[in-house]
Amino acid sequence: MSTQIPPGWKGGFAQSNPAFAYPTPDLSSLPMLDNMDNIDLLQRQQGVKWPEFSWQTILGKEDSRCFQMFSPYISRLGYTDEGRVYSIICPQQGACSPVFGCMNVEVTVTGQRGWVDEDTKTFYADMTVEGTIWFSPSAHQKEWVQKLWKVFNEEKLDFPTSKEKAIKVTTHKFQDSSQPIFPVSQGETPRFQSPPFARHEAEAWNVGHIDVEIGPIRKTGHKVVDDFNKLVMDAFNTASGNMLKQGNTLTWNVWFSQPELVDTEEWRTHAERWRKSIQADHGSPTGPGTDARYFDGTPFKPLDALDSDMKGVLKEETHDLEEVEINKIKGFLNKHFEDKI
């Protein structure tokens, strides 16, 4: 790997307050800034060439842990020549359910602050994020999505067909539900060992990690919409191995490429380009990631993550996952719209 970095690095921000330093960085003297408010101040960046995600597909069972690399450069750290972080691009992904079709899944950064020191290849940041899930245009063609959307329109209820009407999933610091701010720290996560296929020590410029615990779905204040959002999230978690299931911890080791200069206009439009690419079913514009795998490399299958009761239903009544999802939708419609179907 080339170690040539672009000129202009000054540094100094990491050393501007002794409280910022490891082993226990404290950034509380800095405001949490909106992720898009200071794009014009960005001068340098480190791209996450290898965003390696991991989670337990069955909560509490470490041997159920999966590893999956999302698309290269799906995330980035943006900062000034002095090393102050002003923006962090986080992942967008597509996920598909047999009945609901493909959904956009975005980790939306709602606040950030931090520092980078290129001289020592270290960094630290704080973040707040929210999971955001909505149907992609291709999902609009699915029979059950059209039926549900029609009913919701008739009742003048929001349906998650855009980011503005998306399902919101809260997050918080690992093992602290009272703290929405969580750290992005130097090094790989110390909570578990990653397999060789999920490590890039020989190629990466640097590595950091994030451990974020998944909270409840954000309530809308409308019982019907809240019940439907839970139905969609259950389908997503079945397909993804409980990635965003409440109480689970989503970890990603972010393996960075070397520093580069920032094109602020490209940065500003990055999220929209990704969203359009995913929504048009073109996949990820920077190339595909990997399929979810267990530590030994065995591919993950959605059936693996079902609880024993659900597995019993599938076995005893010979249902497949699609039929189970359809039955849940019918139950939802009968509960809330029996007089309209």
Side-chain angles (χ1 to χ4, degrees), residues 97 99-100 103 135 144 148 152 159 167 217 223-238 324-333 336:
S97 147
V99 174
F100 288 116
M103 294 171 273
F135 292 124
W144 283 101
L148 289 160
F152 270 57
F159 197 70
I167 301 167
I217 301 170
K223 174 66 172 171
V224 175
V225 177
D226 290 341
D227 282 358
F228 178 71
N229 289 350
K230 181 180 184 304
L231 187 71
V232 174
M233 283 306 303
D234 285 348
F236 169 79
N237 280 319
T238 296
V324 169
E325 284 189 12
I326 290 172
N327 285 337
K328 287 183 177 180
I329 292 171
K330 288 179 178 178
F332 167 82
L333 289 170
H336 294 292

Side-chain angles (χ1 to χ4, degrees), residues 26-299:
D26 179 359
L27 304 186
S28 59
S29 62
L30 300 175
M32 292 292 286
L33 299 173
D34 186 276
N35 211 36
M36 299 300 290
D37 279 357
N38 296 284
I39 303 303
D40 289 336
L41 299 179
L42 298 179
Q43 295 166 302
R44 306 173 78 82
Q45 65 182 343
Q46 291 179 36
V48 182
K49 185 175 182 180
W50 302 275
E52 295 283 359
F53 281 71
S54 183
W55 68 97
Q56 292 178 345
T57 59
I58 300 175
L59 273 65
K61 292 190 66 175
E62 186 57 25
D63 62 359
S64 76
R65 179 173 295 282
C66 267
F67 300 84
Q68 181 178 18
M69 191 184 88
F70 284 14
S71 182
Y73 297 111
I74 202 168
S75 301
R76 274 190 253 162
L77 188 66
Y79 51 99
T80 63
D81 288 339
E82 290 74 26
R84 181 168 183 174
V85 172
Y86 274 117
S87 187
I88 301 174
I89 292 176
C90 266
Q92 296 187 45
Q93 189 82 339
C96 297
S97 147
V99 174
F100 288 116
C102 292
M103 294 171 273
N104 296 318
V105 183
E106 178 178 294
V107 180
T108 305
V109 179
T110 55
Q112 47 69 37
R113 60 192 177 196
W115 57 261
V116 172
D117 186 0
E118 290 186 7
D119 293 328
T120 58
K121 292 188 179 181
T122 55
F123 81 103
Y124 183 83
D126 286 335
M127 290 174 63
T128 54
V129 305
E130 189 171 57
T132 311
I133 298 95
W134 69 99
F135 292 124
S136 70
S138 65
H140 301 175
Q141 310 309 313
K142 286 285 190 176
E143 175 188 3
W144 283 101
V145 172
Q146 290 181 343
K147 288 180 179 179
L148 289 160
W149 195 0
K150 181 175 183 293
V151 173
F152 270 57
N153 276 342
E154 289 172 354
E155 295 296 308
K156 295 182 171 52
L157 297 173
D158 283 343
F159 197 70
T161 52
S162 66
K163 185 177 178 181
E164 291 69 33
K165 297 178 181 179
I167 301 167
K168 308 287 189 179
V169 180
T170 62
T171 68
H172 54 81
K173 186 177 181 181
F174 176 58
Q175 295 183 332
D176 186 357
S177 60
S178 69
Q179 180 52 268
I181 300 173
F182 54 87
V184 190
S185 304
Q186 184 69 32
E188 296 177 75
T189 181
R191 295 197 307 113
F192 55 83
Q193 181 183 358
S194 293
F197 64 76
R199 303 189 69 247
H200 307 274
E201 193 171 20
E203 309 146 288
W205 163 267
N206 194 16
V207 61
H209 70 274
I210 303 164
D211 296 306
V212 58
E213 193 164 326
I214 307 302
I217 301 170
R218 194 173 298 284
K219 298 291 188 181
T220 67
H222 197 293
K223 174 66 172 171
V224 175
V225 177
D226 290 341
D227 282 358
F228 178 71
N229 289 350
K230 181 180 184 304
L231 187 71
V232 174
M233 283 306 303
D234 285 348
F236 169 79
N237 280 319
T238 296
S240 68
N242 294 317
M243 183 186 290
L244 296 183
K245 188 175 180 66
Q246 184 175 347
N248 210 351
T249 298
L250 185 60
T251 296
W252 63 100
N253 287 325
V254 286
W255 296 86
F256 294 102
S257 56
Q258 67 187 39
E260 301 174 73
L261 299 180
V262 166
D263 177 336
T264 54
E265 184 57 28
E266 187 273 341
W267 188 288
R268 200 185 314 276
T269 58
H270 172 90
E272 189 62 23
R273 287 197 314 279
W274 269 85
R275 192 174 303 124
K276 285 179 178 176
S277 181
I278 291 172
Q279 289 192 159
D281 296 325
H282 295 156
S284 303
T286 55
T290 63
D291 293 331
R293 291 177 281 176
Y294 296 106
F295 190 94
D296 65 0
T298 303

